Amino acid sequence: MIRFLLLFSRQGKLRLQKWFTPFTDREKKKVIRDMMAMVLARTPRSCNFLQWRDLKIVYKRYASLYFCTGLDDQDNELLVLEVLHRYVELLDKYFGNVCELDIIFNFEKAYFILDEFLMGGEVLETSKASVAVALEEADTLQETMEEYLNKPAY
Amino acid sequence: MSPSVPLQEMIRAIRSARTQCEERGVIQRECAAIRAQFRQVDNGGRSHNLAKLLYVHMLGYPAHFGQMECVRMIASPRYNEKRVGYLGAMMLLDEKQDASLLITNSIKNDLSHSNQYVQSLALCTLACMGSAEMCRDLAPEIDKLLRASNSYIKKKAALCAVHIVRKVHDLGELFAPAARSLLSEKNHGVLHGAVVLITQLCEQNPETLERFRKTVPDLVQIMKSLVISGYSPEHDVAGISDPFLQVRILRLLRILGRNNEAASDAMNDLLAQVATNTDSTKTVGNAVLYETVLTVLDIKSESGLRILAVNILGRFLLNNDRNIRYIAMTSLQKIVGTDHNAVQRHRGTIVDCLKDQDASVKRRALDLSLALVSASNIRSMMKELLIFLSSCPPELKAQAANGIFNAAERYAPSQRWHIDTILHVLTTAGGDVRDETVPNLIQLITNTSELHCYTVHKLYRALLTDISQQSLVQVACWCIGEYGDLLLRGECQETEPVQVSEDDVLDALETVLQSHMSSPATRGFALTATMKLSTRITDNVDRIRSTVSIYGSCIDVELQQRAVEYNALFKKYDHMRAAVLERMPVIEKNSPGHTNGESTGETVKEVKPAKVKQGEPVLPPQPANQVCDLLDLLGSSEEPLQPGPALGSTEPILPVSTAGSAGGDLLDLLGGLEPAPLTPAPSVTVYNKGGVTMTLRCEKQSDTGLLVTLTASNSTDSDISSFTLQAAVPKSVELHMKAPSGDSLPARGAANVTQMVVLNNPNKVNLKMRIRVSYTSQGSAVQDMVQVDSFPGH
């Protein structure tokens, strides 16, 4: 299973963190520090796989964001590269040409998308279209509720 | 979905803060506002507030006051509030927080909500942060959802069940039947979830594994349809149909086929098909191939299939993509034990990977290369490994050096090659090798007697080039000390001889002794080597004597001790020197317990029989039992010093005695055993200046021995500190100063300082003594000299 998924920028700012196993706050901070230190130190054309403690680390850089995950020993690293790519594609489809600012200003939506794609550290839905449909319907439900209750959007 | 403007405004405000301090200010204000809002009764902006708090939490600021708000929001009937509330629960609450139990009831209600999106929120949260109790409470609900709901919920329930089973192993039994039935679903999401659930159940419980073996044909069928069937746009990734599902099925097949012939047979065809038909131009295809290879190598596959798998790995090794090469080497590492020959075929490519730029690839290549070293390829492999060692990143140096040593030890084709290899490693990575390398190498060298000449020449040359690598320098010093005569002879069959003069050799050793780069252990080696050369060379023995005596006053206690002992060897035991310093016998291979690099030094010392305790006026109570044995050999305990230059002979003692703490205590302990200077022998005042009076009293100890007691007192009004006495006597008289009773003279004669001196006058010459007094009074240092020409009672 995937243990954690972190998104951070080149300057070391965390944009998204998803923990699939219980970590204490101190451990979380340590993991974030270590991941940033290790991944940001890599040269552009290096291998995307690292070893850290007993976990395999797979990271991929998309524009200004680094996507970094920690895996169990059994997991297939090449497949997780595909998982990261699929997530970026989903973000792209949802936001329309996604960039880092989209994820900063709409971080809760990035989480909702992630929750439709991964659950408990495993892939939940393998079809892009199904995820997109589910997200759309959930958003509609949210808006309908809001309109119905006649609360202004802001 | 319309953006939350309050949230976005806050984010904008935080981002526009120019300094950390400003940012903290903005966040503090916002948090205060959020807290105030939380306390208010229901208003429309609750979800916005919580979203703001979650953003602040992600930046790293404390947000625990939002936990109760999450619980309240989850219980709200509005979907937007539930959504943010559950998100908050996943971010702020974990199973260790008490508040997490409070949401169990809400989750339970939401699991049976009419709207599937609400249900999915509950399932997701439970799968993310559900504690063991929550899982136990809600497991029956999940099981219900697994059976009778739409596919959207089924797939989520399946993964939620996986989490539950991970947390509470016993509940595996509950989900097994449902999992079995899910395998006949058509929806890929549900299938994927089912496969993951079955994998988890089988990994945990061997009995369940046995039961699920029956599903192998079904799995093979599903896999076949994925691989063969036509293009399905929904699940296609670069030409592979649903690679995520394929990889999970392959993983499950691996677990089911392990150690089981029947199951392995059933999947042979499928695996062969996948291995040959999968397109390997993109990462996706390679991911599936990789999983296939891992499965083939783990189950009881037929040999043809195994060879196919290893060939795929070989192809991976030649791939341009670094990731593929990395995982190929990781997989080959796993099978290098079992399929050694198959992996050997790819040795060339693996060795090439040692030269790759990437650190991860280098590390894997090193591990694999070391595993592939064998008797037949040792020479070529070692060449490559040594090239690697000279240019490898520092974090891999130690591992590489140790691997090379182990390999050299196991497969060395000849002694000379072995020694050459070790020397090469020491010159390139001497700082990173383990401590036991030095004694191991020395032991190896003594064993190859025919190569002594060659070895010492090579080491001498290495020493001249570079003295910074401590291990190398230590071995070189030892060899030059042992085999210096071979070096000076100048002829050698194995290597080009170099004309080396005795001065050159001594220069080299002195450079090591004086260099600031040398560690104390290395300097010890060099000093001992210099000493050994005194029996091997003919002309420059005086030079050696002076070098050795200089170190008699070195600050380093170890060096000082050695130097003083060697000094004694020159002076008193010259007749034994040749025997003491002759060639070492072949050293037995030490037990693994001897890992200290100093053990060789100790071995050398043990062999020398004349270990004389010099420089200590009394025996310190060390656990040096060998010292006591040796001293019994000599039959005397305290050896008086030869009267060298007056100051020189007393200097080694004074630093010890005026050191203060431990040394002083020891000496004071034994001070009581000395003959008390309270005999009513006549005392004479020998010095009276500046308020300091010194009296002298003599006592005859033996025919030629005399005990002189000097007592000093202070009649001034101020205290005197650092009071020391130094004494010199005529050449034929032996002088031995004991420790003074102290070094401070309090004012007005409140206390005295007593110093005892033992004299031995075998030639019965006229006894004279020159005493130098030095002390500090009222901040200024005073030194004076007095000559005593007549001794009372003598």
Side-chain angles (χ1 to χ4, degrees), chain B residues 729-750:
Chain B
V729 287
K731 268 215 167 68
S732 58
V733 181
E734 286 162 20
L735 174 129
H736 186 79
M737 284 188 87
K738 302 221 178 195
S741 62
D743 69 340
S744 65
L745 289 169
R748 292 182 220 98

Side-chain angles (χ1 to χ4, degrees), chain B residues 336 340-351 354 368-386 403-404 407-408 410-413 417 421:
Chain B
V336 77
H340 192 90
N341 293 331
V343 183
Q344 280 282 6
R345 241 175 277 139
H346 302 287
R347 186 165 47 88
T349 330
I350 294 169
V351 166
L354 279 172
L368 203 46
S369 305
L370 288 173
L372 284 179
V373 172
S374 74
S376 47
N377 58 29
I378 179 74
R379 282 193 195 261
S380 47
M381 283 298 275
M382 197 51 81
K383 228 182 295 183
E384 294 292 336
L385 285 170
L386 288 173
I404 290 175
R410 295 226 305 267
Y411 301 113
W417 180 92
T421 311

Side-chain angles (χ1 to χ4, degrees), chain B residues 509-635:
Chain B
L509 288 173
E510 260 189 59
T511 322
V512 174
L513 266 175
Q514 288 162 1
S515 163
H516 62 280
M517 288 190 278
S518 304
S519 72
T522 312
R523 291 168 82 190
F525 271 89
L527 189 60
T528 309
T530 314
M531 188 61 194
K532 283 192 207 168
L533 282 176
S534 70
T535 49
R536 315 260 198 275
I537 64 176
T538 45
D539 297 330
N540 284 1
V541 184
D542 283 330
R543 182 173 168 185
I544 295 180
R545 280 171 86 140
S546 58
T547 311
V548 167
S549 65
I550 287 173
Y551 280 89
S553 46
C554 175
I555 287 182
D556 185 331
V557 179
E558 171 69 29
L559 277 183
Q560 189 191 111
Q561 180 175 332
R562 290 192 191 209
V564 168
E565 286 167 11
Y566 297 155
N567 235 349
L569 206 54
F570 268 123
K571 300 193 162 94
K572 266 230 113 181
Y573 299 98
D574 210 26
H575 52 283
M576 296 172 83
R577 187 160 51 91
V580 167
L581 297 173
E582 70 178 5
R583 217 29 135 241
M584 291 280 287
V586 172
I587 299 174
E588 292 287 316
K589 181 86 180 165
N590 276 332
S591 62
H594 279 247
T595 51
N596 195 344
E598 283 288 79
S599 65
T600 317
E602 283 163 23
T603 320
V604 173
K605 279 204 198 153
E606 278 166 42
V607 172
K608 282 189 343 187
K611 190 169 161 109
V612 181
K613 242 1 194 154
Q614 288 291 333
E616 307 280 7
V618 292
L619 262 187
Q622 281 173 354
N625 32 28
Q626 65 202 61
V627 175
C628 296
D629 292 340
L630 296 166
L631 293 171
D632 283 343
L633 268 177
L634 294 166

